[in-house]
Amino acid sequence: MATNVAASRLQGTGANALELDDVGRQFGALTALSGISMRIAAGERRAVLGSNGAGKTTLFNTITGDFNPTSGTIRFFGEDITTLAAYERIRRGLRRTYQISQLFTNLTVLESVYLACRGVSRRRFSLLRPSPSDGAMAQAESIVHAVHLDDDRNATVGMLSHGQQRQLEIALALAGAPRFILFDEPAAGLSPTERRDLIEILNALPKHIGYIIIEHDLDVALRVSEYVSMMHNGRLFTEGTPEEIENDPTVQEIYLGGGHG
Amino acid sequence: MTDLTLTPAASRTASQGWIEKVGIGHILLAFFLLIYPVMASDFFLTQIGGYSLVLGMIALSLMLLAGYGGMVSLAQITVAGAAGYVVAIFGENNSGVYGFGWPWWIYGPLAIMIASLMSALIGWIAVRTEGIYTIMITLAVATACFYFAQQNYALFNGFPGYNGLRAPDVFGLYWRDPVPFYYLCLANAVVAYIAVLYGARSTFGLTLQAIRDNPRRMRAIGFNVTAHKVFAWWLAGLIAGAAGILLVWFNGRISPGTIAVGPSINILVIAIIGGLRHPIGPFIGAVIVTLMQTFAIDIIGAERFNTLIGLVFLLIVFVSPDGILGLWERLKPQAGRDDWRSFKKAANKAEKKGRNA
């Protein structure tokens, strides 16, 4: 598996879902990201590790357009999306989840997922109520089922437990026809059972959907990814297969504080 | 045993489905509003009834923006005023300036169109901001419009504005007569109310509420947040514009005073007193404020009546930040409501059981 991934990484640009060239981001005098270059093949599943403040979420924000990078270019399936509006990137098949759940607290679960399906289709401005025969509604139903929220489909989002909100986070990213998803610490605050559930959901994703996952829990990260990038102080530090990363002494020192070596 | 007691209830829900769907409250309210002219004097019909409905509609346009979209606007009376000025300029007036004398069925839609476009323009400026800054920027726009109308004689006829605006005669009725005017206002208000109530659960309604809850996430699922907000402003402009036409027919005149800062804050007070949670709120607020503004003078005299209105406002906001609606929500017999719900659920279950058997 790992060699396949490595091989595809060397192929031409057409095969790559995401290409970052020398991406940097400054906040005033603070350099949050610098010189990030990455090639991620279509369908590849990548973990990004790094200590707090390493720039992982900032990297996500520049890719999805929450804010733009101050230098470098980002290509999504060959198209330059560096300065494209966030919603335009979503319509091209890019999705993300948030480290801290960003949900619609007053809507129901089904309504939320329905909107996520509607966001990448037509009739976004419709003044009619969605009918049960609506394609977006049917898709929403199946996604709610896929993330195991059937029983709470009509519950108000604000009333859900933390674990359920994390599942909804993922549901929103699965809506439409995603080609590539950025998962920002999806396992944060989950119980061991919920973590197993999450791993199951991630591994059950269709093979053509690639993703990057930021995850502090190595157990989760290494079980759902084929390749790992390590970040430190806003830079890409090293890359490798999960086994290589796990056994890299420098990684142990930086990420695990040396204590686990 | 439970099945036995619940079976009649199940059949009752089936036969009375539409009453439940519309809601018993709505039916009683509609009945009362329809027969109100039988009970009310001309004064109560027009000055209280009609005027409340007009103010309620303008406040409803604010409720749409603030309640569903989280955008508090102080420029709703400005939008209504824009429609009013269009009526004055293209309809008839006796101020000797403009007054092209176009028929109502041309200047009416034109007024609503111009008002809604102006609303969308104000929205387009305001959506770059959030919270208190939206209030400030719309206040700035409202104030600027007021001063511009007051100082511009070429288009707005300056300080005096336009007098002698006349509601049309249609089907042999003069629409400013008490009974026709009341029903005209009622029809408009009902259409606006139902549209907002229905629209709240429409795709766009859900979108707007989701943007209020979390604009960042809306962008991350593919929505152009700015465009949707501006569209909401345009829709609010339709309601405020229609109300603006009724307002100038009611007053028979329009001047900068109609769109001054005082009246614009008045609309906000109406919406807050009534409550922003449900489209009925603005109408409740409008009735209360209209009654107070009409009768507070009799109670404590011309110099102090605004103090009384202010104190009532303070009291309502202090007791219930969600206005009268919030007060109702809290006082509603909770236990009874829960009983009714569990009762219905049990009834449905019993019905299913029966079908299976």
Side-chain angles (χ1 to χ4, degrees):
Chain A
M1 178 63 97
T3 47
N4 286 345
V5 172
S8 68
R9 287 174 65 243
L10 299 173
Q11 282 168 10
T13 53
N16 287 331
L18 203 58
E19 283 174 38
L20 278 70
D21 276 310
D22 201 26
V23 168
R25 170 74 203 193
Q26 301 265 143
F27 292 102
L30 176 78
T31 304
L33 285 181
S34 95
I36 304 276
S37 294
M38 269 184 170
R39 300 263 179 283
I40 299 175
E44 181 182 338
R45 293 163 181 205
R46 170 86 58 114
V48 171
L49 305 182
S51 50
N52 288 323
K56 305 182 298 290
T57 298
T58 306
L59 177 69
F60 272 21
N61 285 335
T62 58
I63 296 173
T64 55
D66 282 43
F67 44 72
N68 290 335
T70 38
S71 64
T73 57
I74 301 169
R75 288 175 181 280
F76 186 63
F77 286 94
E79 182 188 6
D80 188 344
I81 59 163
T82 315
T83 56
L84 208 61
Y87 64 88
E88 289 285 1
R89 304 179 194 212
I90 302 308
R91 290 177 196 170
R92 282 160 174 73
L94 184 66
R95 299 284 186 281
R96 78 169 294 179
T97 70
Y98 289 87
Q99 185 176 3
I100 299 160
S101 295
Q102 302 284 331
L103 301 169
F104 315 121
T105 42
N106 293 297
L107 266 53
T108 69
V109 170
L110 192 62
E111 283 168 348
S112 302
V113 182
Y114 164 73
L115 282 184
C117 297
R118 187 91 285 164
V120 289
S121 62
R122 285 156 183 271
R123 287 188 290 151
R124 279 184 293 273
F125 287 89
S126 171
L127 291 173
L128 298 177
R129 291 185 179 183
S131 74
S133 60
D134 192 323
M137 192 53 101
Q139 201 201 8
E141 296 261 11
S142 75
I143 290 170
V144 167
H145 176 72
V147 297
H148 314 156
L149 282 172
D150 299 78
D151 292 342
D152 300 284
R153 54 217 285 281
N154 292 320
T156 308
V157 172
M159 299 293 171
L160 297 180
S161 71
H162 175 77
Q164 290 170 320
Q165 295 197 348
R166 297 307 288 168
Q167 277 163 297
L168 183 56
E169 265 289 324
I170 293 172
L172 295 184
L174 297 179
R179 294 198 281 174
F180 200 84
I181 307 176
L182 308 176
F183 290 108
D184 197 346
E185 292 197 37
L190 295 187
S191 70
T193 329
E194 288 167 337
R195 272 164 201 246
R196 273 198 296 280
D197 243 20
L198 173 72
I199 293 172
E200 195 185 302
I201 290 171
L202 290 181
N203 284 329
L205 287 180
K207 285 294 163 214
H208 71 275
I209 301 178
Y211 58 73
I212 305 180
I213 181 168
I214 296 176
E215 187 50 67
H216 279 298
D217 184 340
L218 285 181
D219 270 352
V220 175
L222 301 180
R223 280 168 69 183
V224 297
S225 60
E226 302 156 345
Y227 207 73
V228 180
S229 298
M230 280 289 303
M231 285 182 72
H232 190 61
N233 286 341
R235 292 177 170 278
L236 263 189
F237 169 71
T238 184
E239 294 186 320
T241 62
E243 296 78 35
E244 286 167 4
I245 292 295
E246 216 170 3
N247 298 322
D248 186 324
T250 341
V251 170
Q252 300 260 342
E253 196 176 316
I254 290 174
Y255 193 56
L256 304 173
H260 300 260
Chain B
M1 178 185 146
T2 37
D3 281 1
L4 271 181
T5 49
L6 287 171
T7 314
S11 61
R12 203 191 311 145
T13 44
S15 66
Q16 297 187 350
W18 71 271
I19 291 184
E20 234 178 71
K21 211 173 172 186
V22 177
I24 195 80
H26 276 146
I27 294 169
L28 290 176
L29 182 65
F31 181 71
F32 170 76
L33 288 173
L34 280 173
I35 63 160
Y36 179 67
V38 181
M39 305 179 278
S41 65
D42 283 357
F43 176 80
F44 265 88
L45 205 51
T46 313
Q47 304 293 329
I48 306 293
Y51 190 49
S52 294
L53 289 166
V54 172
L55 287 183
M57 274 176 78
I58 302 176
L60 177 67
S61 76
L62 169 60
M63 180 270 157
L64 191 165
L65 291 174
Y68 296 128
M71 301 174 280
V72 179
S73 160
L74 277 172
Q76 293 319 102
I77 194 79
T78 311
V79 173
Y85 271 107
V86 173
V87 170
I89 291 169
F90 292 95
E92 280 171 38
N93 70 64
N94 57 15
S95 295
V97 188
Y98 298 114
F100 297 143
W102 291 6
W104 67 273
W105 46 269
I106 295 182
Y107 75 64
L110 181 72
I112 293 176
M113 198 183 76
I114 289 179
S116 60
L117 288 179
M118 182 172 170
S119 180
L121 182 68
I122 296 172
W124 184 67
I125 298 168
V127 295
R128 277 130 227 284
T129 60
E130 265 175 33
I132 185 90
Y133 302 103
T134 308
I135 304 181
M136 293 316 292
I137 215 164
T138 50
L139 177 62
V141 170
T143 312
C145 288
F146 162 69
Y147 280 112
F148 184 72
Q150 184 167 284
Q151 286 158 7
N152 178 290
Y153 279 81
L155 193 58
F156 294 96
N157 201 30
F159 181 76
Y162 293 96
N163 290 312
L165 309 182
R166 202 171 177 282
D169 299 86
V170 186
F171 308 127
L173 284 173
Y174 175 46
W175 286 92
R176 183 56 178 79
D177 279 340
V179 174
F181 186 71
Y182 170 77
Y183 279 118
L184 179 68
C185 294
L186 182 62
N188 275 279
V190 165
V191 168
Y193 172 76
I194 291 176
V196 172
L197 198 60
Y198 173 87
R201 277 359 262 178
S202 71
T203 297
F204 180 74
L206 293 175
T207 304
L208 191 60
Q209 292 167 73
I211 288 173
R212 172 200 62 198
D213 283 359
N214 200 330
R216 187 182 181 197
R217 173 55 106 168
M218 280 306 272
R219 281 184 208 104
I221 58 174
F223 285 89
N224 181 344
V225 167
T226 304
H228 280 81
K229 280 184 170 178
V230 172
F231 186 57
W233 278 83
W234 183 77
L235 291 174
L238 293 179
I239 298 173
I245 297 174
L246 296 173
L247 185 67
V248 293
W249 284 351
F250 170 81
N251 284 327
R253 61 192 305 274
I254 179 140
S255 67
T258 313
I259 57 167
V261 172
S264 82
I265 291 175
N266 204 21
I267 297 297
L268 182 64
V269 169
I270 288 172
I272 303 272
I273 284 185
L276 294 169
R277 286 272 182 92
H278 189 277
I280 198 69
F283 292 101
I284 296 173
V287 171
I288 292 171
V289 168
T290 307
L291 284 173
M292 279 198 303
Q293 286 179 340
T294 313
F295 296 108
I297 292 182
D298 300 339
I299 300 171
I300 63 169
E303 284 120 39
R304 289 279 174 267
F305 81 98
N306 269 324
T307 312
L308 183 66
I309 294 171
L311 285 175
V312 170
F313 178 64
L314 203 63
L315 185 74
I316 290 176
V317 175
F318 188 72
V319 174
S320 166
D322 282 336
I324 302 283
L325 276 183
L327 212 57
W328 167 246
E329 280 293 324
R330 249 185 291 165
L331 295 180
K332 205 156 47 170
Q334 289 291 329
R337 206 176 42 158
D338 288 348
D339 276 350
W340 167 238
R341 278 203 184 149
S342 50
F343 187 71
K344 237 173 39 173
K345 254 186 208 163
N348 286 343
K349 248 186 216 164
E351 200 181 10
K352 264 186 204 161
K353 226 188 224 172
R355 245 185 261 147
N356 290 341

